[in-house]
Amino acid sequence: MNESNSSASSAQTVSQPLVTIGLPVYNRPAGLRKVLDCILEQTFTNLEIIISDNCSSNQEIASIIAEAKKKDDRIKAFRQPGNIGLEGNFNYVYAASTGAYFMWMSDDDHFDANYIEECVKFLE
């Protein structure tokens, strides 16, 4: 693993991310805040974060996503025009990914801050 990957600024624009995190979301603002905090605290920063809102009726979801995008330009967010179902939303974030490695996270996931870094070390 390239050491510059793990020490890059979280605000850095990554043109070719090594890891994509796919985050399908729907109507759970508290969980969304927690998982975004977890992702943005990761020690490995060569990431792209793809969020797909599955047409949530809770308007707080859009606010949380907009706030997170202001903090971190690695976040790419999409809002589905209609609910495409759980599987469709998971497939959407996967199809939108550009990283060499991909992982899904859900709004109820929480990992240690070095989790992705350790996974990359193992895979590389």
Side-chain angles (χ1 to χ4, degrees):
M1 179 177 76
N2 182 341
E3 288 302 313
S4 66
N5 287 341
S6 63
S7 62
S9 163
S10 66
Q12 171 185 359
T13 300
V14 179
S15 60
Q16 295 182 344
L18 186 60
V19 177
T20 298
I21 299 173
L23 182 57
V25 300
Y26 181 72
N27 277 342
R28 292 177 42 163
L32 177 57
R33 283 187 199 282
K34 286 180 183 178
V35 74
L36 283 171
D37 287 346
C38 176
I39 292 169
L40 299 179
E41 291 171 356
Q42 290 296 304
T43 57
F44 188 83
T45 60
N46 188 357
L47 304 170
E48 79 175 336
I49 302 129
I50 309 245
I51 302 172
S52 174
D53 175 11
N54 202 5
C55 199
S56 294
S57 58
N58 186 325
Q59 295 306 310
E60 192 176 355
I61 297 294
S63 298
I64 294 167
I65 293 170
E67 178 183 311
K69 282 183 68 170
K70 286 180 187 174
K71 290 181 187 176
D72 199 306
D73 61 1
R74 298 173 299 170
I75 296 172
K76 297 176 186 172
F78 304 91
R79 177 173 166 79
Q80 302 306 324
N83 191 304
I84 59 175
L86 179 68
E87 185 176 319
N89 208 27
F90 272 78
N91 289 338
Y92 185 89
V93 294
Y94 179 73
S97 69
T98 65
Y101 300 115
F102 178 86
M103 66 182 287
W104 277 288
M105 287 188 77
S106 296
D107 60 13
D108 59 354
D109 286 336
H110 178 74
F111 301 132
D112 290 338
N114 67 336
Y115 179 77
I116 297 173
E117 182 175 4
E118 292 301 315
C119 288
V120 169
K121 282 180 187 177
F122 176 80
L123 292 169
E124 294 278 294

